[in-house]
Amino acid sequence: MHNNESNIMNYETVTLNELDDNNSELVILDQTRLPGEIKFLHLQDINSIRQAIYLLQVRGAPAIGVAAAFGIYIAAKNINTEIYSEFLSQFRKFKEYLNSARPTAVNLSWALTRMEQVIINNQDKSIHEIKNLLRLEALAIKSEDAEMCRKIGEHGLTLIKDGDGILTHCNAGQLATAKYGTALAPIHLGRERGMNFHVYCDETRPLLQGARLSAFELISDGVDTILICDNMASQVMKNGWVNAVFVGCDRVASNGDACNKIGTSGVAILAKYYNIPFYVLGPTSTIDMSIKTGNEIIIERRPPEEITQMWYQKRMAPEGVKVYNPAFDVTSHELITAIITEHGIARPPYTQSLREIFERKE
Ligand code: MRU
């Protein structure tokens, strides 16, 4: 429907730009400006990279991981020492700093730890060589993400058929990953194959990732897209318009409890009531096998202004009102029909099926 320049599907969410031997920049599509404006940020220092993650200029669990990997590479490149121990200690400070930007999505610490491992595994190499290996690792994290999302899309497509109605919450689409997305990967892949779906996008208060991002990328891909307010999901399910719910995830515990954008657990409860399958789609990098249940997940709390005034011409809520603004919630494994990863589809009991997925992976 759009020409190439305005079609958001033709843009990359996160890229690394090597300016010269000493300087690199992280280029991100500023998601806070979408859909009104397609604008890129060129970030060269760790403070602005951390800030971009905190402000959700780059967001979505896999995209945050990729941005952090590029970000720490850029920071490491500027560490001015030839002494291994000094290099590692400075790197760890940067790692902690970036990791503190957002607590919930495990991909952030997963990507940073993977980068740190490169340094630990190459103690015999020069700092110059280690810096180059860090660059290659960050690029690998990005290209693997695109590959994983494609595979998630393949597995997800086996669960739906042409013409189905799908409800989604937040944005777990291409904008949240290196390509395709997770929850939206089957839809985009289906489009490549000439299939059509009717996708109901929850607007996803308070930051409207559903209205601003999912609806935008789905329309750009020619998908029949219907935007609804969060409190309308029950009605469209009751109408019989939803054949399946597809959502992404920010951290999945080893028992299958899945943490995702606030409101997801409510959608899962509705889906159970209406007997609609509820699927969580995500790469294995989002599964945290080190935690037993979702109770161990730290839920990010965000500023009250996101609720009281951010999207209104004038402040909407009374001054002084107390606000509770958690960014995520945990959906109990009991409400999840299946978890779709790049290595296949896990079904209950998840303690067993997720372990098998990880064994298959190794
Ligand atoms: O606060 P956000 O926009 O980063 O939250 C994003 C989500 O909750 C997504 O559903 C999740 O990260 C999966 S993205 C493939």
Side-chain angles (χ1 to χ4, degrees):
M1 72 161 269
H2 290 289
N3 64 31
N4 276 352
E5 272 195 12
S6 60
N7 189 336
I8 199 67
M9 296 299 289
N10 295 327
Y11 290 96
E12 292 196 57
T13 305
V14 192
T15 44
L16 176 70
N17 197 5
E18 298 280 22
L19 298 168
D20 57 46
D21 282 352
N22 296 319
N23 297 297
S24 308
E25 61 179 14
L26 171 67
V27 184
I28 59 169
L29 174 57
D30 185 350
Q31 299 198 31
T32 60
R33 291 176 184 260
L34 295 175
E37 200 183 346
I38 295 178
K39 188 170 183 293
F40 288 88
L41 298 172
H42 298 254
L43 311 172
Q44 294 181 26
D45 67 279
I46 192 156
N47 296 330
S48 55
I49 291 169
R50 185 186 182 281
Q51 186 71 350
I53 294 173
Y54 175 72
L55 291 176
L56 274 58
Q57 289 169 317
V58 58
R59 36 69 49 203
I64 293 172
V66 175
F70 286 150
I72 197 117
Y73 159 65
I74 291 168
K77 200 173 166 181
N78 289 318
I79 300 175
N80 199 6
T81 179
E82 292 305 316
I83 302 165
Y84 178 86
S85 57
E86 275 179 20
F87 182 75
L88 181 59
S89 129
Q90 188 56 44
F91 180 94
R92 284 185 167 149
K93 283 188 193 138
F94 289 147
K95 180 185 171 215
E96 284 320 304
Y97 180 61
L98 280 182
N99 199 31
S100 68
R102 298 191 75 190
T104 304
V106 70
N107 305 60
L108 180 58
S109 58
W110 170 85
L112 291 168
T113 301
R114 195 170 143 174
M115 294 293 281
E116 181 184 30
Q117 205 55 45
V118 170
I119 306 179
I120 294 168
N121 292 346
N122 290 283
Q123 303 196 19
D124 54 327
K125 306 245 173 33
S126 72
I127 299 298
H128 180 75
E129 284 170 307
I130 291 176
K131 286 179 179 175
N132 193 39
L133 290 171
L134 285 171
R135 182 178 64 84
L136 296 176
E137 189 73 1
L139 290 169
I141 287 173
K142 181 178 171 184
S143 61
E144 285 168 24
D145 184 56
E147 186 53 28
M148 287 190 292
C149 287
R150 198 187 161 81
K151 287 183 181 155
I152 290 169
E154 294 283 2
H155 292 302
L157 256 187
T158 65
L159 301 168
I160 48 176
K161 57 182 192 322
D162 201 14
D164 270 357
I166 315 291
L167 186 137
T168 193
H169 191 75
C170 193
N171 174 263
Q174 174 153 307
L175 288 164
T177 62
K179 198 169 164 58
Y180 290 110
T182 57
L184 300 188
I187 318 281
H188 290 312
L189 214 58
R191 286 297 297 148
E192 283 183 6
R193 295 172 187 175
M195 297 166 84
N196 283 301
F197 303 103
H198 311 286
V199 181
Y200 296 88
C201 293
D202 282 353
E203 65 175 351
T204 318
R205 286 274 291 153
L207 292 178
L208 308 179
Q209 290 93 331
R212 295 187 301 108
L213 308 176
S214 291
F216 187 43
E217 72 167 74
L218 288 167
I219 288 175
S220 302
D221 201 21
V223 177
D224 181 38
T225 306
I226 307 102
L227 177 62
I228 58 171
C229 297
D230 296 334
N231 55 3
M232 297 170 189
S234 174
Q235 185 64 26
V236 295
M237 288 182 182
K238 188 176 181 189
N239 289 348
W241 296 343
V242 180
N243 300 94
V245 176
F246 279 3
V247 295
C249 45
D250 289 85
R251 195 183 288 249
V252 177
S254 57
N255 73 340
D257 288 351
C259 183
N260 190 48
K261 180 54 52 191
I262 188 74
T264 305
S265 67
V267 177
I269 292 165
L270 291 175
K272 180 104 176 167
Y273 181 81
Y274 290 108
N275 218 5
I276 295 167
F278 181 91
Y279 298 115
V280 172
L281 298 91
T284 44
S285 54
T286 308
I287 301 173
D288 187 349
M289 294 300 275
S290 75
I291 57 171
K292 284 203 173 79
T293 78
N295 292 337
E296 293 173 61
I297 299 172
I298 298 171
I299 304 288
E300 177 182 7
R301 295 273 289 269
R302 299 205 43 101
E305 293 73 28
E306 290 180 353
I307 295 183
T308 55
Q309 62 191 62
M310 194 162 175
W311 303 103
Y312 299 89
Q313 274 187 330
K314 283 191 196 151
R315 184 187 163 97
M316 163 277 295
E319 292 290 349
V321 69
K322 284 199 239 167
V323 171
Y324 172 54
N325 184 13
F328 301 95
D329 62 20
V330 174
T331 298
S332 165
H333 61 278
E334 291 168 6
L335 299 169
I336 300 171
T337 312
I339 298 174
I340 294 89
T341 75
E342 75 276 21
H343 293 289
I345 300 178
R347 293 191 183 268
Y350 293 111
T351 33
Q352 189 182 322
S353 58
L354 289 179
R355 204 176 44 238
E356 282 166 10
I357 291 252
F358 272 81
E359 280 162 10
R360 208 176 304 159
K361 193 179 157 196
E362 276 146 19

